[in-house]
Amino acid sequence: MHIMEGFLPPAHALGWTAVSATFLAWGLRAMARDLRAYPQRRMLFGVAAAFAFLLSALKLPSVTGSCSHPTGVGLGALLFGPAAMVPVGFVVLLFQALLLAHGGLTTLGANVFSMAVVGPFAAYAVFRVAATLGLSRSIAVFAAACLGDLATYATTSLQLAWAFPDPVGGIGASLARFAGIFALTQVPIAISEGLLTVLVVNAIARFEGDELRAAPVFAHGTKEAA
């Protein structure tokens, strides 16, 4: 999913940077508000950031200019809400660009939008729908992490298709080609991420505390939370 340094046209790189900067400012305010209310959550924030950093660093070669890997942002979105994961994802992607040459600075805005904005918000929305339907927490968490991961890659496919439309079929044909290649590697990766996130959430659930009871994954109406 990490689009490599210099791959996007300058206008696209600047545009995604501007959009992501807006979400980042909002996310920073959300994170500060959350930590003021629950200062004991700092360690859990660190766990969510480390989870996202490690999983998203496990890259597999994919289409030109990008790669496939788990994202790890679904866990944080379910623990802290999607807005708080924007700055977490930004820091993860910035460190990976600087320390691992994974992604890049000119493509940081596009990568932040797909992994730190779309992924967490999609995961959170899927979890809320599953909770509304009264599904078990494990099923809701699996669906949220799995589909949040796939939403990230659908966004990256759209970003690449928009930047490099097919000479004959335009953006639609290019999107089908990018998404089709990503699907070969990303579907099994997304399923694996969903299962791993369920294991981590179940492990965290063993610890009681006010900060955990207020987390979205434990507060909203799955069968276990009811």
Side-chain angles (χ1 to χ4, degrees):
M1 152 262 143
H2 290 53
I3 301 173
M4 68 181 183
E5 177 67 38
F7 193 73
L8 290 177
H12 287 251
L14 288 172
W16 289 118
T17 297
V19 172
S20 293
T22 303
F23 280 96
L24 178 60
W26 178 34
L28 286 171
R29 288 195 295 272
M31 175 184 281
R33 186 169 58 248
D34 189 88
L35 290 179
R36 281 197 300 271
Y38 302 99
Q40 63 274 34
R41 285 187 175 184
R42 288 188 175 88
M43 183 173 292
L44 206 53
F45 258 117
V47 172
F51 187 78
F53 184 90
L54 290 174
L55 289 192
S56 59
L58 302 174
K59 61 180 181 179
L60 299 172
S62 187
V63 295
T64 300
S66 189
C67 57
S68 289
H69 54 78
T71 66
V73 295
L75 175 64
L78 299 181
L79 290 173
F80 308 108
M85 278 309 289
V86 180
V88 172
F90 168 76
V91 171
V92 166
L93 289 165
L94 178 62
F95 279 12
Q96 289 178 346
L98 294 175
L99 302 178
L100 304 177
H102 190 186
L105 295 179
T106 62
T107 56
L108 185 60
N111 292 332
V112 166
F113 185 78
S114 61
M115 194 179 102
V117 177
V118 174
F121 278 88
Y124 185 78
V126 169
F127 180 82
R128 293 299 301 269
V129 170
T132 301
L133 295 175
L135 301 180
S136 72
R137 185 170 61 215
S138 293
I139 293 176
V141 169
F142 171 80
C146 181
L147 296 180
D149 178 296
L150 291 177
T152 294
Y153 281 82
T155 303
T156 300
S157 299
L158 181 59
Q159 290 171 323
L160 292 172
W162 190 9
F164 306 101
D166 183 86
V168 177
I171 293 177
S174 183
L175 175 61
R177 185 174 68 252
F178 281 120
I181 296 174
F182 269 137
L184 294 175
T185 53
Q186 200 56 37
V187 171
I189 288 175
I191 293 173
S192 300
E193 180 173 349
L195 295 173
L196 178 60
T197 306
V198 171
L199 293 176
V200 174
V201 168
N202 288 341
I204 293 175
R206 297 172 187 164
F207 298 92
E208 292 291 338
D210 292 340
E211 69 276 17
L212 292 182
R213 282 192 288 272
V217 70
F218 301 116
H220 296 310
T222 59
K223 289 180 180 178
E224 292 84 350

